[in-house]
mmCIF file of all heavy atoms in Angstrom:
data_model
loop_
_atom_site.group_PDB
_atom_site.id
_atom_site.type_symbol
_atom_site.label_atom_id
_atom_site.label_comp_id
_atom_site.label_asym_id
_atom_site.label_seq_id
_atom_site.Cartn_x
_atom_site.Cartn_y
_atom_site.Cartn_z
ATOM 1 N N ARG A 1 -15.456 6.879 119.367
ATOM 2 C CA ARG A 1 -14.967 7.216 120.748
ATOM 3 C C ARG A 1 -13.895 8.223 120.687
ATOM 4 O O ARG A 1 -13.767 9.150 121.545
ATOM 5 C CB ARG A 1 -14.558 6.042 121.484
ATOM 6 C CG ARG A 1 -14.200 6.294 123.009
ATOM 7 C CD ARG A 1 -14.256 5.013 123.780
ATOM 8 N NE ARG A 1 -13.345 3.978 123.240
ATOM 9 C CZ ARG A 1 -12.020 3.877 123.608
ATOM 10 N NH1 ARG A 1 -11.551 4.669 124.500
ATOM 11 N NH2 ARG A 1 -11.160 3.018 123.054
ATOM 12 N N GLN A 2 -12.963 8.055 119.638
ATOM 13 C CA GLN A 2 -11.798 9.019 119.571
ATOM 14 C C GLN A 2 -12.282 10.330 119.039
ATOM 15 O O GLN A 2 -11.894 11.434 119.581
ATOM 16 C CB GLN A 2 -10.716 8.355 118.529
ATOM 17 C CG GLN A 2 -9.979 7.161 119.105
ATOM 18 C CD GLN A 2 -10.774 5.913 119.246
ATOM 19 O OE1 GLN A 2 -11.618 5.607 118.364
ATOM 20 N NE2 GLN A 2 -10.648 5.153 120.378
ATOM 21 N N LEU A 3 -13.183 10.404 118.144
ATOM 22 C CA LEU A 3 -13.699 11.647 117.566
ATOM 23 C C LEU A 3 -14.452 12.459 118.461
ATOM 24 O O LEU A 3 -14.669 13.628 118.357
ATOM 25 C CB LEU A 3 -14.515 11.343 116.252
ATOM 26 C CG LEU A 3 -13.761 10.793 115.021
ATOM 27 C CD1 LEU A 3 -14.647 10.534 113.854
ATOM 28 C CD2 LEU A 3 -12.635 11.718 114.629
ATOM 29 N N GLU A 4 -15.056 11.731 119.487
ATOM 30 C CA GLU A 4 -15.759 12.522 120.586
ATOM 31 C C GLU A 4 -14.879 13.547 121.201
ATOM 32 O O GLU A 4 -15.428 14.584 121.823
ATOM 33 C CB GLU A 4 -16.369 11.571 121.606
ATOM 34 C CG GLU A 4 -17.590 10.784 121.061
ATOM 35 C CD GLU A 4 -18.031 9.795 122.143
ATOM 36 O OE1 GLU A 4 -17.405 9.750 123.205
ATOM 37 O OE2 GLU A 4 -18.982 9.092 121.840
ATOM 38 N N TRP A 5 -13.573 13.310 121.343
ATOM 39 C CA TRP A 5 -12.628 14.185 121.933
ATOM 40 C C TRP A 5 -12.553 15.553 121.116
ATOM 41 O O TRP A 5 -12.051 16.506 121.615
ATOM 42 C CB TRP A 5 -11.315 13.615 122.078
ATOM 43 C CG TRP A 5 -11.309 12.663 123.338
ATOM 44 C CD1 TRP A 5 -11.538 11.316 123.263
ATOM 45 C CD2 TRP A 5 -10.911 12.964 124.599
ATOM 46 N NE1 TRP A 5 -11.365 10.753 124.541
ATOM 47 C CE2 TRP A 5 -11.007 11.746 125.340
ATOM 48 C CE3 TRP A 5 -10.471 14.135 125.301
ATOM 49 C CZ2 TRP A 5 -10.685 11.739 126.774
ATOM 50 C CZ3 TRP A 5 -10.162 14.118 126.600
ATOM 51 C CH2 TRP A 5 -10.302 12.914 127.326
ATOM 52 N N PHE A 6 -12.979 15.513 119.837
ATOM 53 C CA PHE A 6 -12.711 16.619 118.947
ATOM 54 C C PHE A 6 -13.981 17.063 118.326
ATOM 55 O O PHE A 6 -14.086 17.447 117.089
ATOM 56 C CB PHE A 6 -11.707 16.102 117.938
ATOM 57 C CG PHE A 6 -10.458 15.691 118.483
ATOM 58 C CD1 PHE A 6 -10.157 14.237 118.410
ATOM 59 C CD2 PHE A 6 -9.530 16.469 118.998
ATOM 60 C CE1 PHE A 6 -9.127 13.770 118.965
ATOM 61 C CE2 PHE A 6 -8.329 15.902 119.618
ATOM 62 C CZ PHE A 6 -8.041 14.571 119.596
ATOM 63 N N ASP A 7 -15.088 17.127 119.173
ATOM 64 C CA ASP A 7 -16.418 17.602 118.651
ATOM 65 C C ASP A 7 -16.348 19.018 118.103
ATOM 66 O O ASP A 7 -17.026 19.311 117.097
ATOM 67 C CB ASP A 7 -17.378 17.478 119.824
ATOM 68 C CG ASP A 7 -17.956 16.061 119.921
ATOM 69 O OD1 ASP A 7 -17.827 15.235 119.098
ATOM 70 O OD2 ASP A 7 -18.545 15.807 121.021
ATOM 71 N N ASP A 8 -15.566 19.902 118.646
ATOM 72 C CA ASP A 8 -15.533 21.272 118.306
ATOM 73 C C ASP A 8 -14.533 21.526 117.072
ATOM 74 O O ASP A 8 -14.409 22.629 116.639
ATOM 75 C CB ASP A 8 -15.083 22.091 119.530
ATOM 76 C CG ASP A 8 -16.091 21.989 120.627
ATOM 77 O OD1 ASP A 8 -17.348 21.771 120.321
ATOM 78 O OD2 ASP A 8 -15.751 22.237 121.831
ATOM 79 N N HIS A 9 -13.837 20.492 116.712
ATOM 80 C CA HIS A 9 -12.931 20.709 115.628
ATOM 81 C C HIS A 9 -13.614 20.835 114.361
ATOM 82 O O HIS A 9 -14.582 20.154 114.006
ATOM 83 C CB HIS A 9 -11.908 19.476 115.493
ATOM 84 C CG HIS A 9 -10.707 19.715 114.775
ATOM 85 N ND1 HIS A 9 -10.738 20.024 113.438
ATOM 86 C CD2 HIS A 9 -9.418 19.680 115.141
ATOM 87 C CE1 HIS A 9 -9.508 20.230 112.958
ATOM 88 N NE2 HIS A 9 -8.655 19.975 113.995
ATOM 89 N N PRO A 10 -13.308 21.913 113.463
ATOM 90 C CA PRO A 10 -14.024 22.239 112.308
ATOM 91 C C PRO A 10 -13.789 21.231 111.159
ATOM 92 O O PRO A 10 -14.485 21.382 110.098
ATOM 93 C CB PRO A 10 -13.587 23.617 111.927
ATOM 94 C CG PRO A 10 -12.081 23.682 112.470
ATOM 95 C CD PRO A 10 -12.183 22.876 113.713
ATOM 96 N N ALA A 11 -12.849 20.420 111.206
ATOM 97 C CA ALA A 11 -12.534 19.396 110.166
ATOM 98 C C ALA A 11 -13.690 18.575 109.688
ATOM 99 O O ALA A 11 -14.550 18.193 110.571
ATOM 100 C CB ALA A 11 -11.320 18.598 110.499
ATOM 101 N N GLU A 12 -13.692 18.034 108.554
ATOM 102 C CA GLU A 12 -14.667 17.063 108.162
ATOM 103 C C GLU A 12 -14.280 15.818 108.965
ATOM 104 O O GLU A 12 -13.094 15.381 109.055
ATOM 105 C CB GLU A 12 -14.543 16.745 106.626
ATOM 106 C CG GLU A 12 -15.355 15.617 106.080
ATOM 107 C CD GLU A 12 -14.999 15.211 104.698
ATOM 108 O OE1 GLU A 12 -14.114 15.780 104.052
ATOM 109 O OE2 GLU A 12 -15.683 14.232 104.245
ATOM 110 N N LYS A 13 -15.340 15.083 109.408
ATOM 111 C CA LYS A 13 -15.079 13.890 110.281
ATOM 112 C C LYS A 13 -15.442 12.656 109.481
ATOM 113 O O LYS A 13 -16.472 12.502 108.882
ATOM 114 C CB LYS A 13 -15.963 13.927 111.572
ATOM 115 C CG LYS A 13 -15.884 15.271 112.387
ATOM 116 C CD LYS A 13 -14.581 15.375 113.079
ATOM 117 C CE LYS A 13 -14.487 16.478 114.044
ATOM 118 N NZ LYS A 13 -15.528 17.456 114.139
ATOM 119 N N LEU A 14 -14.498 11.631 109.484
ATOM 120 C CA LEU A 14 -14.806 10.408 108.985
ATOM 121 C C LEU A 14 -14.604 9.378 110.056
ATOM 122 O O LEU A 14 -13.631 9.194 110.634
ATOM 123 C CB LEU A 14 -13.734 10.038 107.765
ATOM 124 C CG LEU A 14 -13.737 11.008 106.555
ATOM 125 C CD1 LEU A 14 -12.668 10.572 105.637
ATOM 126 C CD2 LEU A 14 -15.107 10.936 105.850
ATOM 127 N N VAL A 15 -15.803 8.528 110.213
ATOM 128 C CA VAL A 15 -15.704 7.532 111.245
ATOM 129 C C VAL A 15 -15.230 6.189 110.687
ATOM 130 O O VAL A 15 -15.637 5.656 109.617
ATOM 131 C CB VAL A 15 -17.112 7.252 111.802
ATOM 132 C CG1 VAL A 15 -17.170 6.226 112.908
ATOM 133 C CG2 VAL A 15 -17.642 8.659 112.302
ATOM 134 N N VAL A 16 -14.207 5.674 111.452
ATOM 135 C CA VAL A 16 -13.584 4.334 111.078
ATOM 136 C C VAL A 16 -14.603 3.236 111.656
ATOM 137 O O VAL A 16 -14.790 3.150 112.888
ATOM 138 C CB VAL A 16 -12.219 4.144 111.700
ATOM 139 C CG1 VAL A 16 -11.732 2.737 111.332
ATOM 140 C CG2 VAL A 16 -11.283 5.229 111.053
ATOM 141 N N LYS A 17 -15.080 2.365 110.784
ATOM 142 C CA LYS A 17 -15.912 1.265 111.185
ATOM 143 C C LYS A 17 -15.901 0.141 110.144
ATOM 144 O O LYS A 17 -15.531 0.459 108.969
ATOM 145 C CB LYS A 17 -17.349 1.688 111.419
ATOM 146 C CG LYS A 17 -18.088 2.370 110.319
ATOM 147 C CD LYS A 17 -19.456 2.873 110.694
ATOM 148 C CE LYS A 17 -20.124 3.569 109.514
ATOM 149 N NZ LYS A 17 -21.478 4.035 109.879
ATOM 150 N N ALA A 18 -16.201 -1.028 110.532
ATOM 151 C CA ALA A 18 -16.289 -2.085 109.547
ATOM 152 C C ALA A 18 -17.417 -2.047 108.599
ATOM 153 O O ALA A 18 -18.577 -1.571 109.035
ATOM 154 C CB ALA A 18 -16.254 -3.438 110.252
ATOM 155 N N PRO A 19 -17.304 -2.236 107.339
ATOM 156 C CA PRO A 19 -15.990 -2.703 106.650
ATOM 157 C C PRO A 19 -15.218 -1.427 106.373
ATOM 158 O O PRO A 19 -15.636 -0.299 106.251
ATOM 159 C CB PRO A 19 -16.488 -3.232 105.289
ATOM 160 C CG PRO A 19 -17.803 -2.680 105.053
ATOM 161 C CD PRO A 19 -18.491 -2.363 106.416
ATOM 162 N N LEU A 20 -13.845 -1.641 106.425
ATOM 163 C CA LEU A 20 -12.853 -0.502 106.175
ATOM 164 C C LEU A 20 -12.856 0.091 104.808
ATOM 165 O O LEU A 20 -12.371 1.281 104.701
ATOM 166 C CB LEU A 20 -11.532 -0.923 106.731
ATOM 167 C CG LEU A 20 -11.378 -1.173 108.253
ATOM 168 C CD1 LEU A 20 -10.003 -1.549 108.520
ATOM 169 C CD2 LEU A 20 -11.711 0.107 108.977
ATOM 170 N N ASP A 21 -13.154 -0.672 103.796
ATOM 171 C CA ASP A 21 -12.751 -0.183 102.434
ATOM 172 C C ASP A 21 -13.508 1.165 102.146
ATOM 173 O O ASP A 21 -12.832 1.931 101.606
ATOM 174 C CB ASP A 21 -13.336 -1.239 101.355
ATOM 175 C CG ASP A 21 -12.220 -2.276 101.120
ATOM 176 O OD1 ASP A 21 -11.007 -2.107 101.519
ATOM 177 O OD2 ASP A 21 -12.582 -3.360 100.502
ATOM 178 N N PRO A 22 -14.700 1.409 102.469
ATOM 179 C CA PRO A 22 -15.268 2.716 102.165
ATOM 180 C C PRO A 22 -14.535 3.927 102.786
ATOM 181 O O PRO A 22 -14.241 4.871 102.056
ATOM 182 C CB PRO A 22 -16.723 2.674 102.701
ATOM 183 C CG PRO A 22 -17.051 1.186 102.752
ATOM 184 C CD PRO A 22 -15.798 0.531 102.976
ATOM 185 N N VAL A 23 -14.224 3.885 104.046
ATOM 186 C CA VAL A 23 -13.479 4.966 104.591
ATOM 187 C C VAL A 23 -12.021 5.064 104.049
ATOM 188 O O VAL A 23 -11.544 6.176 103.935
ATOM 189 C CB VAL A 23 -13.496 4.767 106.189
ATOM 190 C CG1 VAL A 23 -12.417 3.698 106.735
ATOM 191 C CG2 VAL A 23 -13.049 6.143 106.892
ATOM 192 N N LEU A 24 -11.393 3.872 103.745
ATOM 193 C CA LEU A 24 -10.086 4.055 103.176
ATOM 194 C C LEU A 24 -10.144 4.682 101.755
ATOM 195 O O LEU A 24 -9.285 5.356 101.298
ATOM 196 C CB LEU A 24 -9.441 2.595 103.055
ATOM 197 C CG LEU A 24 -9.061 1.913 104.404
ATOM 198 C CD1 LEU A 24 -8.666 0.453 104.151
ATOM 199 C CD2 LEU A 24 -8.025 2.703 105.215
ATOM 200 N N GLN A 25 -11.184 4.367 101.013
ATOM 201 C CA GLN A 25 -11.325 4.925 99.755
ATOM 202 C C GLN A 25 -11.529 6.442 99.896
ATOM 203 O O GLN A 25 -10.973 7.260 99.119
ATOM 204 C CB GLN A 25 -12.588 4.273 99.036
ATOM 205 C CG GLN A 25 -12.700 4.837 97.637
ATOM 206 C CD GLN A 25 -13.866 4.139 96.951
ATOM 207 O OE1 GLN A 25 -14.261 3.024 97.168
ATOM 208 N NE2 GLN A 25 -14.386 4.735 95.819
ATOM 209 N N THR A 26 -12.340 6.865 100.860
ATOM 210 C CA THR A 26 -12.613 8.332 101.126
ATOM 211 C C THR A 26 -11.350 8.993 101.549
ATOM 212 O O THR A 26 -11.018 10.253 101.046
ATOM 213 C CB THR A 26 -13.726 8.475 102.055
ATOM 214 O OG1 THR A 26 -14.918 7.777 101.679
ATOM 215 C CG2 THR A 26 -14.053 9.975 102.204
ATOM 216 N N ILE A 27 -10.477 8.349 102.317
ATOM 217 C CA ILE A 27 -9.266 8.987 102.691
ATOM 218 C C ILE A 27 -8.368 9.156 101.440
ATOM 219 O O ILE A 27 -7.789 10.198 101.348
ATOM 220 C CB ILE A 27 -8.480 8.025 103.669
ATOM 221 C CG1 ILE A 27 -9.242 8.007 105.079
ATOM 222 C CG2 ILE A 27 -7.048 8.349 103.925
ATOM 223 C CD1 ILE A 27 -8.679 6.954 106.095
ATOM 224 N N GLY A 28 -8.374 8.173 100.609
ATOM 225 C CA GLY A 28 -7.508 8.361 99.374
ATOM 226 C C GLY A 28 -8.023 9.467 98.599
ATOM 227 O O GLY A 28 -7.242 10.225 97.945
ATOM 228 N N GLU A 29 -9.353 9.660 98.466
ATOM 229 C CA GLU A 29 -9.935 10.755 97.686
ATOM 230 C C GLU A 29 -9.553 12.106 98.207
ATOM 231 O O GLU A 29 -9.211 13.020 97.507
ATOM 232 C CB GLU A 29 -11.390 10.536 97.503
ATOM 233 C CG GLU A 29 -11.884 9.269 96.767
ATOM 234 C CD GLU A 29 -13.364 9.066 96.982
ATOM 235 O OE1 GLU A 29 -13.978 9.797 97.712
ATOM 236 O OE2 GLU A 29 -13.808 8.174 96.305
ATOM 237 N N ARG A 30 -9.622 12.194 99.628
ATOM 238 C CA ARG A 30 -9.267 13.516 100.183
ATOM 239 C C ARG A 30 -7.806 13.846 100.093
ATOM 240 O O ARG A 30 -7.428 15.048 99.875
ATOM 241 C CB ARG A 30 -9.683 13.414 101.729
ATOM 242 C CG ARG A 30 -11.132 13.269 101.998
ATOM 243 C CD ARG A 30 -11.976 14.392 101.385
ATOM 244 N NE ARG A 30 -13.382 14.174 101.799
ATOM 245 C CZ ARG A 30 -14.259 13.595 100.969
ATOM 246 N NH1 ARG A 30 -13.873 13.126 99.782
ATOM 247 N NH2 ARG A 30 -15.461 13.480 101.388
ATOM 248 N N VAL A 31 -6.984 12.855 100.103
ATOM 249 C CA VAL A 31 -5.487 13.033 99.892
ATOM 250 C C VAL A 31 -5.338 13.616 98.489
ATOM 251 O O VAL A 31 -4.564 14.531 98.252
ATOM 252 C CB VAL A 31 -4.725 11.735 100.075
ATOM 253 C CG1 VAL A 31 -3.281 11.978 99.643
ATOM 254 C CG2 VAL A 31 -4.785 11.472 101.676
ATOM 255 N N GLN A 32 -6.000 12.982 97.499
ATOM 256 C CA GLN A 32 -5.896 13.381 96.049
ATOM 257 C C GLN A 32 -6.371 14.757 95.895
ATOM 258 O O GLN A 32 -5.875 15.583 95.071
ATOM 259 C CB GLN A 32 -6.601 12.432 95.123
ATOM 260 C CG GLN A 32 -6.020 11.080 95.044
ATOM 261 C CD GLN A 32 -4.711 11.000 94.373
ATOM 262 O OE1 GLN A 32 -4.499 11.801 93.446
ATOM 263 N NE2 GLN A 32 -3.827 10.270 94.921
ATOM 264 N N GLU A 33 -7.329 15.225 96.709
ATOM 265 C CA GLU A 33 -7.840 16.579 96.589
ATOM 266 C C GLU A 33 -6.957 17.633 97.348
ATOM 267 O O GLU A 33 -7.150 18.818 97.304
ATOM 268 C CB GLU A 33 -9.223 16.629 97.299
ATOM 269 C CG GLU A 33 -10.260 15.837 96.678
ATOM 270 C CD GLU A 33 -11.569 15.668 97.519
ATOM 271 O OE1 GLU A 33 -11.612 16.311 98.603
ATOM 272 O OE2 GLU A 33 -12.425 14.974 97.107
ATOM 273 N N GLY A 34 -5.766 16.987 97.904
ATOM 274 C CA GLY A 34 -4.897 18.033 98.552
ATOM 275 C C GLY A 34 -5.245 18.354 99.989
ATOM 276 O O GLY A 34 -4.673 19.294 100.572
ATOM 277 N N LYS A 35 -6.205 17.598 100.591
ATOM 278 C CA LYS A 35 -6.645 17.980 101.963
ATOM 279 C C LYS A 35 -5.629 17.344 102.917
ATOM 280 O O LYS A 35 -5.015 16.398 102.811
ATOM 281 C CB LYS A 35 -7.941 17.368 102.271
ATOM 282 C CG LYS A 35 -9.087 17.783 101.372
ATOM 283 C CD LYS A 35 -9.552 19.217 101.717
ATOM 284 C CE LYS A 35 -10.705 19.615 100.865
ATOM 285 N NZ LYS A 35 -11.973 18.903 101.091
ATOM 286 N N GLU A 36 -5.536 18.094 104.085
ATOM 287 C CA GLU A 36 -4.741 17.628 105.245
ATOM 288 C C GLU A 36 -5.513 16.597 106.078
ATOM 289 O O GLU A 36 -6.372 16.913 106.682
ATOM 290 C CB GLU A 36 -4.331 18.844 106.159
ATOM 291 C CG GLU A 36 -3.400 18.487 107.205
ATOM 292 C CD GLU A 36 -1.928 18.500 106.810
ATOM 293 O OE1 GLU A 36 -1.666 18.820 105.641
ATOM 294 O OE2 GLU A 36 -1.172 18.179 107.610
#
């Protein structure tokens, strides 16, 4: 629902849903890659 507000945003989109571990792991990987 939150990401629907930013459909036109060019960023990579990660959807938060249960279970949380996969998305948290991906967030950590993107931070390690130097992504904003």
Side-chain angles (χ1 to χ4, degrees):
R1 187 164 58 87
Q2 288 74 40
L3 292 178
E4 286 176 0
W5 283 89
F6 307 102
D7 279 342
D8 297 334
H9 198 295
E12 176 188 2
K13 309 289 192 348
L14 298 179
V15 178
V16 174
K17 57 183 178 181
L20 288 178
D21 274 347
V23 71
L24 294 175
Q25 182 175 340
T26 304
I27 288 172
E29 292 170 356
R30 297 299 183 266
V31 170
Q32 290 295 319
E33 294 167 4
K35 298 287 182 65
E36 186 79 4

